[in-house]
């Protein structure tokens, strides 16, 4: 009986600098501030009954929590503004074209990723360098949620801030949402969107890193990914650019 020979296709990998340092700093700073804002936000909405024999005025627990929340909100806001700016001056993987569908190929790739990642259907592996189309489109809505959270948060803060002019710029927001009560509800619901997004985001990062083996996790530390050469040969590295067929 003849010996069977199994031949595996060898993929040539290219080391690609995908996530620039400003994007990585934005990412981790954003992650940290969101965690701080969620933690302090929960406490502000439903304070703990801290039992202590000390004078309450000397502890001022709520005051410290609110101050941390406000400081984190300023960092979150200006970090968000920086990301908007970097979407125009950064490399092609950070560009806004990777988040907003502008071609039929973008929607086709979104459907393919949806079938593979969500419906868990079998099919040809999707290859991308930066964000795939589905991830980019979800991040676009996440940026809109960032905007809503900034508007509602500073809108709530505007009426209680007396020392600086900046929060007063958002004094028109409560009226647009029908008052502070509804404004606070939108702010709270959006926070739960961030919690859900964080859980799914972390899961998918580990999932793609395990399945694809392209350095998905380490890339947000050093910026580099390892990508098959055929991705570049076929022009598959960005979803909004036309695919090459030569």
């Amino acid at each position: 009986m003849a010996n069977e020979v199994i031949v595996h296709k060898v993929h040539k990998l290219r080391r690609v600098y995908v996530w620039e340092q400003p994007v990585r700093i934005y990412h981790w700073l954003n992650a940290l501030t969101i965690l701080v804002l969620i933690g302090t936000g929960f406490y502000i909405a439903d304070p703990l009954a801290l039992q202590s024999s000390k004078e309450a005025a000397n502890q001022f627990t709520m005051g410290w929590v609110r101050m941390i929340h406000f400081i984190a909100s300023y960092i979150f806001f200006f970090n968000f503004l920086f990301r908007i700016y970097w979407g125009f001056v950064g490399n092609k993987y950070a560009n806004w074209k990777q988040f907003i569908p502008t071609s039929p190929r973008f929607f086709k790739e979104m459907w393919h990723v949806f079938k593979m990642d969500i419906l868990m259907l079998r099919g040809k592996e999707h290859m991308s360098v930066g964000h795939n189309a589905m991830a980019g489109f979800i991040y676009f809505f996440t940026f809109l949620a960032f905007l809503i959270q900034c508007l509602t948060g500073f809108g709530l803060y505007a009426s209680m801030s007396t020392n600086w002019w900046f929060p007063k710029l958002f004094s028109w927001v409560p009226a647009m949402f029908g008052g502070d009560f509804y404004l606070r509800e939108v702010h709270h619901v959006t926070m739960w969107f961030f919690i859900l997004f964080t859980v799914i985001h972390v899961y998918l990062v580990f999932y793609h890193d395990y399945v694809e083996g392209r350095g998905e996790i380490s890339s947000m530390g050093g910026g580099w990914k390892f990508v098959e050469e055929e991705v570049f040969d076929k022009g598959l590295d960005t979803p909004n650019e036309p695919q090459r067929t030569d």
Side-chain angles (χ1 to χ4, degrees):
M1 182 176 180
N3 294 329
E4 294 184 359
V5 178
I6 301 176
V7 179
H8 295 280
K9 183 179 180 180
V10 178
H11 293 278
K12 293 183 179 180
L13 300 178
R14 181 188 299 187
R15 188 168 180 253
V16 186
Y17 188 61
V18 179
W19 308 125
E20 300 165 293
Q21 188 178 50
V23 173
R24 303 197 309 273
I25 293 175
Y26 157 81
H27 175 273
W28 292 114
L29 185 59
N30 200 51
L32 177 62
T33 54
I34 287 177
L35 291 177
V36 172
L37 288 168
I38 289 174
T40 55
F42 269 123
Y43 184 87
I44 293 171
D46 188 16
L48 298 174
L50 301 178
Q51 303 297 325
S52 175
S53 60
K54 296 181 180 180
E55 174 59 41
N58 294 331
Q59 297 188 81
F60 202 48
T61 304
M62 177 61 79
W64 282 107
V65 172
R66 282 164 58 87
M67 184 184 72
I68 294 173
H69 191 82
F70 294 154
I71 292 174
S73 67
Y74 277 108
I75 297 174
F76 178 83
F77 178 77
F78 288 107
N79 194 42
F80 176 47
L81 290 184
F82 170 78
R83 183 61 183 89
I84 294 175
Y85 161 76
W86 200 256
F88 295 99
V89 302
N91 66 12
K92 63 181 179 179
Y93 304 114
N95 193 278
W96 284 106
K97 292 180 181 179
Q98 309 313 312
F99 303 97
I100 304 174
T102 57
S103 69
R105 182 186 153 200
F106 197 107
F107 290 101
K108 183 178 180 181
E109 182 178 316
M110 280 179 57
W111 174 240
H112 181 77
V113 174
F114 180 81
K115 290 189 296 182
M116 298 289 290
D117 287 5
I118 308 301
L119 301 181
M120 304 298 289
L121 300 178
R122 291 187 178 185
K124 185 179 179 181
E125 178 189 6
H126 170 72
M127 295 183 291
S128 60
V129 179
H131 297 304
N132 63 55
M134 176 64 75
F137 194 52
I138 292 175
Y139 287 139
F140 172 69
F141 283 102
T142 304
F143 288 135
L144 293 180
F146 288 168
L147 178 61
I148 293 173
Q149 200 72 334
C150 289
L151 289 174
T152 55
F154 280 105
L156 291 168
Y157 184 40
S159 61
M160 65 186 77
S161 175
T162 59
N163 299 325
W164 195 31
W165 57 267
F166 182 79
K168 299 298 182 183
L169 297 176
F170 299 86
S171 58
W172 54 272
V173 176
M176 187 180 72
F177 282 84
D180 285 350
F181 176 80
Y182 295 107
L183 190 65
R184 188 173 288 106
E185 288 297 305
V186 174
H187 194 67
H188 186 77
V189 170
T190 308
M191 178 197 67
W192 279 104
F193 167 80
F194 289 139
I195 294 174
L196 179 63
F197 169 81
T198 300
V199 173
I200 296 175
H201 174 69
V202 172
Y203 161 73
L204 287 177
V205 167
F206 277 89
Y207 170 79
H208 281 282
D209 190 83
Y210 175 76
V211 173
E212 299 172 356
R214 299 189 180 109
E216 193 77 24
I217 297 175
S218 62
S219 66
M220 198 47 73
W224 298 90
K225 281 188 177 183
F226 300 90
V227 185
E228 293 86 343
E229 284 287 351
E230 59 187 286
V231 173
F232 302 94
D233 295 338
K234 297 180 180 180
L236 299 174
D237 49 325
T238 50
N240 265 327
E241 294 180 1
Q243 181 177 348
R244 290 191 293 270
T245 57
D246 55 328

Coordinates of all heavy atoms in Angstrom, one line a residue, residues 22-85:
P22 N -0.3 56.7 17.9 CA -1.4 57.5 18.3 C -2.7 56.7 18.4 O -3.5 57.0 19.4 CB -1.5 58.6 17.3 CG -0.2 58.8 16.7 CD 0.4 57.4 16.7
V23 N -2.9 55.8 17.5 CA -4.1 55.0 17.6 C -4.1 54.0 18.8 O -5.1 53.9 19.5 CB -4.3 54.1 16.3 CG1 -5.4 53.1 16.4 CG2 -4.5 55.1 15.1
R24 N -2.9 53.5 19.1 CA -2.8 52.6 20.2 C -2.9 53.3 21.5 O -3.6 52.8 22.5 CB -1.4 51.9 20.2 CG -1.2 51.1 18.9 CD -0.1 50.1 19.0 NE 1.2 50.6 19.5 CZ 2.1 51.2 18.8 NH1 1.9 51.3 17.4 NH2 3.2 51.6 19.3
I25 N -2.4 54.5 21.6 CA -2.5 55.3 22.8 C -4.0 55.7 23.0 O -4.6 55.6 24.1 CB -1.7 56.6 22.8 CG1 -0.2 56.2 22.8 CG2 -2.0 57.6 23.9 CD1 0.7 57.4 22.6
Y26 N -4.7 56.1 21.9 CA -6.1 56.4 22.0 C -6.9 55.2 22.5 O -7.8 55.3 23.3 CB -6.6 56.8 20.6 CG -8.1 56.6 20.5 CD1 -9.0 57.6 21.0 CD2 -8.6 55.5 19.8 CE1 -10.4 57.4 20.9 CE2 -10.0 55.3 19.7 CZ -10.8 56.2 20.3 OH -12.2 56.0 20.2
H27 N -6.6 54.0 21.9 CA -7.3 52.8 22.3 C -7.3 52.5 23.8 O -8.3 52.3 24.4 CB -6.8 51.7 21.4 CG -7.4 50.3 21.8 ND1 -6.9 49.5 22.8 CD2 -8.5 49.7 21.3 CE1 -7.6 48.4 22.9 NE2 -8.6 48.5 22.0
W28 N -6.0 52.5 24.3 CA -5.9 52.1 25.7 C -6.4 53.2 26.7 O -6.9 52.9 27.7 CB -4.4 51.7 26.0 CG -4.1 50.4 25.3 CD1 -3.2 50.3 24.3 CD2 -4.6 49.1 25.5 NE1 -3.1 49.0 23.9 CE2 -4.0 48.2 24.6 CE3 -5.6 48.6 26.4 CZ2 -4.3 46.9 24.6 CZ3 -5.9 47.3 26.3 CH2 -5.3 46.4 25.4
L29 N -6.2 54.4 26.3 CA -6.7 55.5 27.1 C -8.2 55.5 27.1 O -8.8 55.8 28.2 CB -6.1 56.9 26.6 CG -6.5 58.1 27.4 CD1 -5.9 58.0 28.8 CD2 -5.9 59.4 26.7
N30 N -8.8 55.2 26.0 CA -10.2 55.2 25.9 C -10.8 54.0 26.7 O -11.8 54.2 27.4 CB -10.6 55.0 24.4 CG -12.1 55.4 24.1 OD1 -12.5 56.4 24.5 ND2 -12.8 54.5 23.5
A31 N -10.1 52.9 26.6 CA -10.5 51.7 27.4 C -10.5 52.0 28.9 O -11.4 51.7 29.6 CB -9.7 50.5 27.1
L32 N -9.4 52.6 29.3 CA -9.2 52.9 30.8 C -10.3 53.9 31.2 O -10.9 53.7 32.3 CB -7.9 53.5 31.0 CG -7.6 53.9 32.5 CD1 -7.7 52.8 33.4 CD2 -6.2 54.6 32.6
T33 N -10.5 55.0 30.5 CA -11.5 56.0 30.9 C -12.9 55.5 30.9 O -13.7 55.8 31.7 CB -11.4 57.3 30.0 OG1 -11.6 56.9 28.6 CG2 -10.1 58.0 30.2
I34 N -13.2 54.6 29.9 CA -14.6 54.0 29.9 C -14.8 53.1 31.1 O -15.9 53.2 31.8 CB -14.8 53.1 28.6 CG1 -14.9 54.1 27.4 CG2 -16.0 52.2 28.8 CD1 -15.1 53.3 26.1
L35 N -13.8 52.4 31.6 CA -13.9 51.6 32.8 C -14.1 52.4 34.0 O -15.0 52.1 34.9 CB -12.7 50.7 32.9 CG -12.5 49.5 31.9 CD1 -11.2 48.8 32.2 CD2 -13.7 48.6 32.0
V36 N -13.4 53.5 34.1 CA -13.5 54.5 35.2 C -14.9 55.1 35.2 O -15.5 55.2 36.2 CB -12.4 55.5 35.2 CG1 -12.6 56.6 36.2 CG2 -11.0 54.9 35.4
L37 N -15.3 55.5 34.0 CA -16.6 56.2 33.9 C -17.8 55.3 34.3 O -18.7 55.7 34.9 CB -16.8 56.7 32.5 CG -16.0 58.0 32.1 CD1 -16.0 58.2 30.6 CD2 -16.5 59.2 32.9
I38 N -17.7 54.0 33.9 CA -18.7 53.0 34.2 C -18.8 52.8 35.7 O -19.8 52.8 36.3 CB -18.5 51.7 33.4 CG1 -18.8 51.9 31.9 CG2 -19.4 50.6 34.0 CD1 -18.4 50.7 31.1
G39 N -17.6 52.6 36.3 CA -17.5 52.3 37.7 C -18.0 53.5 38.5 O -18.9 53.3 39.4
T40 N -17.6 54.7 38.3 CA -18.0 55.8 39.0 C -19.5 56.2 38.7 O -20.2 56.7 39.5 CB -17.1 57.0 38.7 OG1 -17.0 57.3 37.3 CG2 -15.7 56.8 39.2
G41 N -19.9 55.9 37.4 CA -21.3 56.2 37.0 C -22.2 55.3 37.8 O -23.3 55.8 38.2
F42 N -21.9 54.0 38.0 CA -22.7 53.2 38.8 C -22.9 53.7 40.2 O -24.0 53.7 40.8 CB -22.2 51.7 38.8 CG -22.7 50.9 37.7 CD1 -21.8 50.3 36.8 CD2 -24.1 50.6 37.6 CE1 -22.3 49.4 35.8 CE2 -24.5 49.8 36.5 CZ -23.7 49.2 35.7
Y43 N -21.8 54.1 40.8 CA -21.8 54.6 42.2 C -22.6 55.9 42.3 O -23.4 56.1 43.2 CB -20.4 54.9 42.7 CG -20.4 55.3 44.1 CD1 -20.3 54.3 45.1 CD2 -20.4 56.7 44.5 CE1 -20.3 54.7 46.5 CE2 -20.4 57.0 45.8 CZ -20.3 56.1 46.8 OH -20.3 56.4 48.1
I44 N -22.5 56.8 41.3 CA -23.3 58.1 41.3 C -24.8 57.8 41.2 O -25.6 58.4 41.9 CB -22.8 59.0 40.2 CG1 -21.3 59.5 40.5 CG2 -23.7 60.2 40.1 CD1 -20.7 60.2 39.3
A45 N -25.1 56.8 40.4 CA -26.5 56.5 40.2 C -27.1 55.8 41.3 O -28.3 55.9 41.7 CB -26.7 55.6 38.9
D46 N -26.3 54.9 42.0 CA -26.8 54.1 43.1 C -25.8 54.0 44.2 O -25.1 53.0 44.3 CB -27.2 52.7 42.6 CG -28.0 51.9 43.7 OD1 -28.4 52.5 44.7 OD2 -28.1 50.7 43.5
P47 N -25.6 55.1 45.0 CA -24.5 55.1 46.0 C -24.6 54.0 47.0 O -25.7 53.6 47.4 CB -24.7 56.5 46.7 CG -25.5 57.3 45.7 CD -26.4 56.3 45.1
L48 N -23.4 53.6 47.5 CA -23.4 52.6 48.6 C -23.7 53.2 49.9 O -23.3 54.4 50.1 CB -22.0 51.9 48.6 CG -21.6 51.1 47.3 CD1 -20.2 50.6 47.5 CD2 -22.5 49.9 47.1
A49 N -24.2 52.5 50.8 CA -24.4 53.0 52.2 C -23.2 52.6 53.0 O -23.0 51.6 53.5 CB -25.7 52.3 52.8
L50 N -22.3 53.6 53.0 CA -21.0 53.4 53.7 C -21.2 53.7 55.2 O -21.4 54.8 55.6 CB -19.9 54.3 53.1 CG -19.7 54.1 51.6 CD1 -18.6 55.1 51.1 CD2 -19.2 52.7 51.3
Q51 N -21.0 52.6 56.0 CA -21.2 52.7 57.4 C -19.8 53.1 58.1 O -18.8 52.4 57.9 CB -21.6 51.4 58.0 CG -22.9 50.9 57.4 CD -24.1 51.8 57.7 OE1 -24.2 52.4 58.7 NE2 -25.0 51.9 56.7
S52 N -19.8 54.3 58.7 CA -18.6 54.8 59.3 C -18.9 55.7 60.5 O -20.0 56.4 60.5 CB -17.7 55.5 58.3 OG -16.6 56.1 58.9
S53 N -18.1 55.7 61.5 CA -18.3 56.6 62.7 C -17.7 58.0 62.4 O -17.9 58.9 63.2 CB -17.6 56.0 63.9 OG -16.2 55.8 63.7
K54 N -17.0 58.1 61.3 CA -16.4 59.4 61.0 C -17.5 60.4 60.5 O -18.5 60.0 60.0 CB -15.3 59.3 59.9 CG -14.1 58.4 60.3 CD -13.1 58.3 59.2 CE -11.9 57.5 59.6 NZ -10.9 57.4 58.5
E55 N -17.2 61.7 60.6 CA -18.1 62.7 60.2 C -18.2 62.7 58.7 O -17.2 62.6 57.9 CB -17.5 64.1 60.6 CG -18.3 65.3 60.1 CD -19.8 65.3 60.5 OE1 -20.1 64.9 61.6 OE2 -20.6 65.6 59.6
A56 N -19.4 62.7 58.2 CA -19.7 62.5 56.7 C -19.0 63.6 55.9 O -18.5 63.4 54.8 CB -21.2 62.5 56.5
A57 N -19.0 64.9 56.5 CA -18.5 66.0 55.8 C -17.0 65.9 55.6 O -16.4 66.4 54.7 CB -18.8 67.3 56.5
N58 N -16.3 65.0 56.5 CA -14.9 64.9 56.4 C -14.5 63.8 55.4 O -13.3 63.7 55.0 CB -14.3 64.5 57.7 CG -14.4 65.7 58.7 OD1 -14.4 66.8 58.3 ND2 -14.5 65.4 60.0
Q59 N -15.5 62.9 55.0 CA -15.2 61.9 54.1 C -15.4 62.3 52.6 O -14.6 62.1 51.8 CB -16.0 60.6 54.4 CG -15.7 60.1 55.8 CD -16.4 58.7 56.0 OE1 -15.9 57.7 55.5 NE2 -17.5 58.8 56.7
F60 N -16.6 62.9 52.4 CA -17.0 63.4 51.1 C -16.8 62.4 50.0 O -16.2 62.7 48.9 CB -16.1 64.7 50.8 CG -16.8 65.6 49.8 CD1 -18.1 65.9 49.9 CD2 -16.0 66.1 48.8 CE1 -18.7 66.8 48.9 CE2 -16.6 66.9 47.8 CZ -17.9 67.3 47.9
T61 N -17.2 61.2 50.2 CA -17.0 60.1 49.3 C -17.7 60.4 47.9 O -17.0 60.2 46.9 CB -17.6 58.8 49.8 OG1 -17.0 58.5 51.1 CG2 -17.3 57.6 48.8
M62 N -18.9 60.8 47.9 CA -19.6 61.1 46.7 C -18.9 62.2 45.9 O -18.8 62.2 44.7 CB -21.0 61.5 46.9 CG -21.8 61.9 45.7 SD -21.9 60.6 44.4 CE -23.2 59.6 45.1
G63 N -18.3 63.2 46.6 CA -17.6 64.3 46.0 C -16.4 63.8 45.2 O -16.1 64.2 44.1
W64 N -15.6 62.9 45.9 CA -14.4 62.4 45.2 C -14.8 61.5 44.0 O -14.2 61.6 43.0 CB -13.7 61.5 46.2 CG -12.8 62.3 47.2 CD1 -13.1 62.5 48.5 CD2 -11.6 63.0 46.9 NE1 -12.1 63.3 49.0 CE2 -11.2 63.7 48.1 CE3 -10.9 63.2 45.7 CZ2 -10.1 64.5 48.1 CZ3 -9.7 64.0 45.8 CH2 -9.4 64.6 47.0
V65 N -15.9 60.7 44.1 CA -16.3 59.9 43.0 C -16.7 60.7 41.8 O -16.4 60.5 40.7 CB -17.4 58.9 43.5 CG1 -18.0 58.2 42.2 CG2 -16.9 57.9 44.5
R66 N -17.5 61.8 42.1 CA -18.0 62.7 41.1 C -16.8 63.4 40.4 O -16.7 63.6 39.2 CB -18.9 63.7 41.6 CG -20.3 63.1 41.9 CD -21.1 64.1 42.8 NE -21.2 65.4 42.2 CZ -22.2 65.8 41.4 NH1 -23.1 64.9 40.9 NH2 -22.2 67.0 40.9
M67 N -15.8 63.8 41.2 CA -14.6 64.5 40.6 C -13.9 63.5 39.7 O -13.5 63.9 38.6 CB -13.7 65.0 41.8 CG -12.5 65.8 41.2 SD -11.3 66.3 42.5 CE -10.6 64.7 42.8
I68 N -13.7 62.3 40.1 CA -13.0 61.3 39.3 C -13.8 61.1 38.0 O -13.2 61.0 36.9 CB -12.8 60.0 40.0 CG1 -11.9 60.2 41.2 CG2 -12.3 58.9 39.1 CD1 -11.8 58.9 42.1
H69 N -15.1 61.0 38.1 CA -16.0 60.9 36.9 C -15.9 62.1 36.0 O -15.8 61.9 34.8 CB -17.5 60.7 37.4 CG -18.4 60.3 36.3 ND1 -18.6 59.0 36.0 CD2 -19.3 61.0 35.5 CE1 -19.5 58.9 35.0 NE2 -19.9 60.1 34.7
F70 N -15.8 63.3 36.5 CA -15.7 64.4 35.7 C -14.3 64.5 35.0 O -14.3 64.9 33.8 CB -16.0 65.7 36.5 CG -17.4 65.8 37.0 CD1 -17.6 66.5 38.2 CD2 -18.4 65.2 36.4 CE1 -18.9 66.6 38.7 CE2 -19.7 65.3 36.9 CZ -19.9 66.0 38.1
I71 N -13.3 64.2 35.7 CA -11.9 64.2 35.1 C -11.9 63.2 34.0 O -11.3 63.5 32.9 CB -10.9 63.9 36.2 CG1 -10.8 65.1 37.2 CG2 -9.5 63.7 35.5 CD1 -9.9 64.9 38.3
A72 N -12.4 62.0 34.3 CA -12.4 61.0 33.2 C -13.2 61.4 32.0 O -12.8 61.0 30.9 CB -12.9 59.6 33.8
S73 N -14.3 62.1 32.2 CA -15.1 62.5 31.1 C -14.4 63.5 30.2 O -14.6 63.5 29.0 CB -16.4 63.1 31.7 OG -16.2 64.3 32.4
Y74 N -13.6 64.4 30.8 CA -12.8 65.4 30.0 C -11.8 64.6 29.2 O -11.6 64.9 28.0 CB -12.2 66.4 30.9 CG -13.0 67.5 31.3 CD1 -13.5 67.7 32.6 CD2 -13.4 68.5 30.4 CE1 -14.4 68.7 32.9 CE2 -14.2 69.6 30.7 CZ -14.7 69.7 32.0 OH -15.5 70.7 32.3
I75 N -11.1 63.6 29.8 CA -10.1 62.9 29.1 C -10.8 62.1 27.9 O -10.3 62.1 26.8 CB -9.4 61.9 30.0 CG1 -8.6 62.6 31.1 CG2 -8.5 60.9 29.2 CD1 -8.0 61.7 32.2
F76 N -11.9 61.5 28.2 CA -12.7 60.8 27.2 C -13.1 61.7 26.0 O -12.9 61.3 24.9 CB -14.0 60.2 27.9 CG -14.8 59.4 26.9 CD1 -14.6 58.1 26.6 CD2 -16.0 60.0 26.3 CE1 -15.4 57.4 25.7 CE2 -16.8 59.4 25.5 CZ -16.5 58.0 25.2
F77 N -13.6 62.9 26.3 CA -14.0 63.8 25.3 C -12.9 64.2 24.4 O -13.0 64.2 23.2 CB -14.7 65.0 26.0 CG -15.2 66.0 25.0 CD1 -16.3 65.9 24.3 CD2 -14.4 67.2 24.8 CE1 -16.8 66.8 23.4 CE2 -14.9 68.2 23.9 CZ -16.1 68.0 23.2
F78 N -11.8 64.7 25.0 CA -10.7 65.2 24.1 C -10.0 64.1 23.4 O -9.4 64.3 22.4 CB -9.8 66.1 25.0 CG -10.4 67.4 25.4 CD1 -10.8 67.6 26.7 CD2 -10.6 68.4 24.4 CE1 -11.4 68.9 27.0 CE2 -11.1 69.6 24.8 CZ -11.5 69.9 26.1
N79 N -9.9 62.9 24.0 CA -9.4 61.8 23.4 C -10.2 61.4 22.1 O -9.7 61.0 21.1 CB -9.3 60.6 24.3 CG -8.5 59.4 23.8 OD1 -7.4 59.6 23.3 ND2 -8.9 58.2 24.0
F80 N -11.5 61.5 22.3 CA -12.5 61.3 21.2 C -12.2 62.3 20.0 O -12.2 61.9 18.9 CB -13.9 61.3 21.7 CG -14.9 61.2 20.6 CD1 -14.9 60.2 19.7 CD2 -16.0 62.1 20.6 CE1 -15.9 60.1 18.7 CE2 -17.0 61.9 19.6 CZ -16.9 60.9 18.7
L81 N -12.1 63.6 20.4 CA -11.8 64.6 19.4 C -10.5 64.3 18.7 O -10.4 64.5 17.4 CB -11.7 66.0 20.1 CG -13.0 66.6 20.6 CD1 -12.7 68.0 21.1 CD2 -14.1 66.6 19.5
F82 N -9.5 63.8 19.4 CA -8.2 63.5 18.8 C -8.4 62.4 17.7 O -7.8 62.4 16.7 CB -7.2 63.1 19.8 CG -6.0 62.5 19.2 CD1 -5.0 63.3 18.6 CD2 -5.8 61.1 19.1 CE1 -3.9 62.8 18.1 CE2 -4.6 60.6 18.6 CZ -3.7 61.4 18.0
R83 N -9.2 61.4 18.1 CA -9.4 60.2 17.2 C -10.2 60.7 15.9 O -9.9 60.2 14.8 CB -10.3 59.1 17.9 CG -10.5 57.9 17.0 CD -9.1 57.3 16.6 NE -9.2 56.1 15.8 CZ -9.2 56.2 14.4 NH1 -9.2 57.4 13.8 NH2 -9.3 55.1 13.7
I84 N -11.1 61.6 16.0 CA -11.7 62.2 14.9 C -10.7 62.8 13.9 O -10.7 62.6 12.7 CB -12.8 63.2 15.2 CG1 -13.9 62.5 16.0 CG2 -13.3 63.9 14.0 CD1 -15.0 63.5 16.5
Y85 N -9.8 63.6 14.6 CA -8.7 64.3 13.8 C -7.8 63.2 13.1 O -7.5 63.4 12.0 CB -7.9 65.2 14.7 CG -6.5 65.5 14.2 CD1 -6.4 66.5 13.2 CD2 -5.4 64.9 14.7 CE1 -5.1 66.8 12.7 CE2 -4.1 65.3 14.3 CZ -4.0 66.2 13.3 OH -2.8 66.5 12.8

